[in-house]
Amino acid sequence: MRTTEIKPGIHWVGAIDWAVRDFHGYVTPNGTTYNNYLILDTHITLIDTVKHDFAEYTVENIRSLADPAKIENVVINHIENDHMSSIGQIMELAPKATIYITDRGKKGLDRFYDTSRWTFKIVKTGDTLSTGTKTIVFLETPMLHWPDSMMSYVKEDKLLISQDAFGQHIASAVRFDDEYCDQYSVTTLEHAVVDYYANILMPFGQLVKSKLAEVQKLGLDIDMIAPDHGVIWRKDPAKILKMYLDMAEGKAARKIVIIYDTMWHSTEHMTTPLAEGIKAAGVEVEVVKLRSTPMSVAIKKFWECRGALIGTPTLNNIMFPSVAEFLQHLKGLRPKSRMVGAFGSFGWGGGAVKEAYEVLKAMGLETVEPGIQVMYRPSVEDDEKCFAFGKQFAERVLEYQRKLQGDEPGVCRPGKQL
Ligand code: FEO
C-alpha cells in the first residue's frame, strides 16, 4: 500500500522523488516528496496535486482508495509546478470537480491552462468547504512563498495542510516526523528544516511572524501539520512552529562562517589565521569554499550563523565570480540581523573587498570595516593581522549576539536549539 492514512479518512496520496538532486538550482541531496492528500468523505476532496512527472503515481494512489471520477473538490493551495502541474491529468479524470483556489491562484493558473472548461470557487481567509463530516477552513498566506499561497485547515481533525511552509526536502519511506527521527535523527530533520527555510523562506521572515500570529489569533487548535514536502509533523507540531518563529525573528547561532573562494590560494591561506582568531575569542567557526560547496548549502550555513566573513580575491578589479554569485543569491534572500566582514588578496589594483562591502552594506547588514587585504601572498605579518581581525570580528559578533538574543543559547542551530 503506497498511501498512508494520516487522520481518519484523510490519506497521503503523494509521490516520493528519491532521485531529484537539483530543485530549480537548489541542491537536494536527500531528494524530496510531493505530498497531497485525499479526504474520503461524503464529498471526496483532493488537496493539492503533485509534480507532473509523478502524475501517474498519484493517480494510482488515488485509485487504490477511490474512483478518481468521484472526486468532487480539488483544493489548490499553491500553483508552483511541483504541486499544480498534474492538475490537467486529475481534471481529465474528475472533470466535474470544483477547484478551490485563491483569486491570485486562479489568475496564475489561467496562464498555464485553458481553465474555461473547469469549475472554480475562489476562496479567501475564513471561507470553508464541507466535505460531509469535515470542514476545511482556508487561510490565505500571500507571499509565503508565492502570491497565490494558502493553507487548508481541517477543523474536526485539527490538521493544518500547510503547503510549502514547514516542509523539508527529504525523500523517505516514512511519512511522519517521529518515524523519521527513529530511523535517522532529530538533528538530520532539523538541518533539513533550516536548509529549506534559509533557501526558500528567508526573505519572508516578517510575513512568517505575522501569519503565525494570525493563526494564533484565529485560535486554530493544531495537532498535526502536513506540509507539501517531506515528513508530516505528528509528534510535535509545536516544535516546528517554534523553529519557524525563531528563524522568522532572525535568531542565529553564536557562530561565524568564513565563506570564500580563491585563485592561487592566498585568500584561502588567510582563512586559517582568521579562523584561529575567531576561535581565540571563544566563538565557533566553520570554513566554506564556494567552488566546493553547492550554493544552497553555503546559503544555509550563512543563515545559521550570527556572523560571516566573506573572502574574495580581486579579479579584473572586482570580486571573484563565485563570490559575486553567492552575494547575488544572498541579496535576493534579503538576510537580516547578521554581522559581516570581508577579506581577500590582490595583485596590483585591488577592488574586490571594497566591492564586497558595498554589496553587503546595500543589503543592510551590520558590517565590521575595513576588513583585511593582502598583496600577492600573505606574509607572517599578514597572518598576524588576519588573526587580530578574526578575533576583533568575533568579539563584535559576540556583542551583537548579546544585544539581539541576550544570553539565549544558539538557535537556528540543529541539534541544540530546542
Ligand atoms: Fe513546493 Fe512553492 O513549491
Side-chain angles (χ1 to χ4, degrees):
M1 190 75 168
R2 301 190 306 185
T3 63
T4 302
E5 188 169 26
I6 65 165
K7 285 279 187 180
I10 304 180
H11 301 257
W12 177 90
V13 288
I16 306 169
D17 191 346
W18 297 99
V20 65
R21 292 292 179 269
D22 181 337
F23 194 99
H24 57 47
Y26 168 177
V27 293
T28 48
N30 300 312
T32 195
T33 63
Y34 312 106
N35 299 337
N36 60 343
Y37 304 93
L38 186 71
I39 301 179
L40 294 181
D41 202 352
T42 315
H43 309 289
I44 297 178
T45 299
L46 179 67
I47 301 190
D48 290 321
T49 70
V50 297
K51 192 176 174 185
H52 59 88
D53 316 44
F54 294 88
E56 279 308 310
Y57 194 103
T58 199
V59 166
E60 281 312 304
N61 284 346
I62 293 167
R63 266 193 226 287
S64 72
L65 298 166
D67 176 357
K70 292 190 174 159
I71 295 173
E72 292 183 44
N73 309 304
V74 177
V75 175
I76 298 183
N77 279 327
H78 173 34
I79 60 161
E80 193 164 2
N81 290 21
D82 50 331
H83 307 298
M84 170 281 287
S85 55
S86 55
I87 186 72
Q89 288 94 327
I90 297 291
M91 293 307 289
E92 264 178 39
L93 295 167
K96 294 198 186 320
T98 299
I99 297 174
Y100 288 73
I101 191 167
T102 60
D103 184 45
R104 284 165 153 177
K106 166 69 167 54
K107 286 180 177 136
L109 205 63
D110 290 344
R111 304 292 299 172
F112 292 97
Y113 294 93
D114 169 12
T115 58
S116 60
R117 59 211 154 122
W118 299 335
T119 305
F120 287 88
K121 169 86 178 152
I122 305 299
V123 293
K124 52 189 186 326
T125 295
D127 287 350
T128 58
L129 161 64
S130 171
T131 62
T133 65
K134 298 180 193 291
T135 315
I136 300 173
V137 183
F138 299 107
L139 174 65
E140 289 171 282
T141 56
M143 294 320 299
L144 291 177
H145 68 120
W146 273 26
D148 61 284
S149 299
M150 70 170 180
M151 298 183 187
S152 299
Y153 176 70
V154 187
K155 204 168 156 185
E156 292 74 11
D157 297 290
K158 302 177 184 176
L159 166 68
L160 183 67
I161 298 177
S162 60
Q163 137 307 99
D164 279 325
F166 313 120
Q168 337 85 47
H169 284 309
I170 286 176
S172 79
V174 295
R175 301 275 64 80
F176 296 104
D177 54 346
D178 51 311
E179 295 172 323
Y180 185 84
C181 292
D182 286 348
Q183 277 193 19
Y184 301 94
S185 73
V186 176
T187 308
T188 314
L189 180 56
E190 288 174 352
H191 269 295
V193 170
V194 176
D195 180 58
Y196 188 94
Y197 185 97
N199 282 283
I200 296 171
L201 291 159
M202 193 199 297
F204 309 117
Q206 284 308 315
L207 283 171
V208 171
K209 263 172 74 176
S210 59
K211 196 47 71 176
L212 288 175
E214 191 182 325
V215 168
Q216 264 184 338
K217 208 167 151 192
L218 287 171
L220 302 185
D221 193 4
I222 297 169
D223 80 2
M224 183 183 285
I225 297 177
D228 275 2
H229 296 288
V231 298
I232 295 164
W233 301 91
R234 149 175 98 174
K235 185 182 175 201
D236 196 1
K239 171 188 174 130
I240 185 66
L241 290 169
K242 168 82 167 66
M243 280 187 84
Y244 260 56
L245 194 56
D246 282 349
M247 290 188 284
E249 286 176 351
K251 290 184 179 176
R254 196 166 48 220
K255 182 175 171 184
I256 292 167
V257 61
I258 299 175
I259 297 174
Y260 77 100
D261 217 326
T262 197
M263 285 176 71
W264 292 106
H265 304 294
S266 291
T267 300
E268 186 164 63
H269 178 103
M270 294 170 79
T271 63
T272 301
L274 283 165
E276 288 301 315
I278 292 167
K279 272 167 58 188
V283 176
E284 273 183 61
V285 61
E286 187 171 354
V287 180
V288 172
K289 181 178 177 181
L290 282 168
R291 271 181 298 158
S292 310
T293 311
M295 190 59 66
S296 52
V297 174
I299 291 289
K300 171 184 176 264
K301 288 183 184 290
F302 176 92
W303 178 245
E304 282 175 329
C305 300
R306 181 61 72 204
L309 285 175
I310 309 300
T312 174
T314 293
L315 177 64
N316 299 325
N317 301 114
I318 57 173
M319 287 187 282
F320 197 67
S322 58
V323 180
E325 187 191 353
F326 169 74
L327 292 181
Q328 182 69 4
H329 276 263
L330 197 61
K331 182 180 163 191
L333 291 165
R334 303 198 293 276
K336 294 205 170 30
S337 320
R338 299 298 186 270
M339 183 165 269
V340 289
F343 67 96
S345 61
F346 66 98
W348 44 102
V353 169
K354 181 169 173 276
E355 190 189 18
Y357 271 112
E358 284 167 4
V359 174
L360 292 165
K361 281 197 280 193
M363 288 185 222
L365 297 169
E366 294 283 327
T367 53
V368 177
E369 296 184 62
I372 190 156
Q373 298 186 75
V374 302
M375 190 173 189
Y376 287 124
R377 188 80 186 143
S379 62
V380 172
E381 292 74 32
D382 288 326
D383 283 358
E384 286 166 3
K385 284 182 196 163
C386 284
F387 180 91
F389 180 61
K391 190 161 178 286
Q392 180 214 349
F393 181 75
E395 286 161 356
R396 291 283 303 277
V397 168
L398 280 177
E399 272 172 41
Y400 189 49
Q401 176 79 339
R402 266 184 230 113
K403 185 178 134 197
L404 295 177
Q405 284 180 218
D407 288 330
E408 195 177 343
V411 288
C412 188
R413 182 188 203 182
K416 298 190 180 175
Q417 75 269 39
L418 295 170

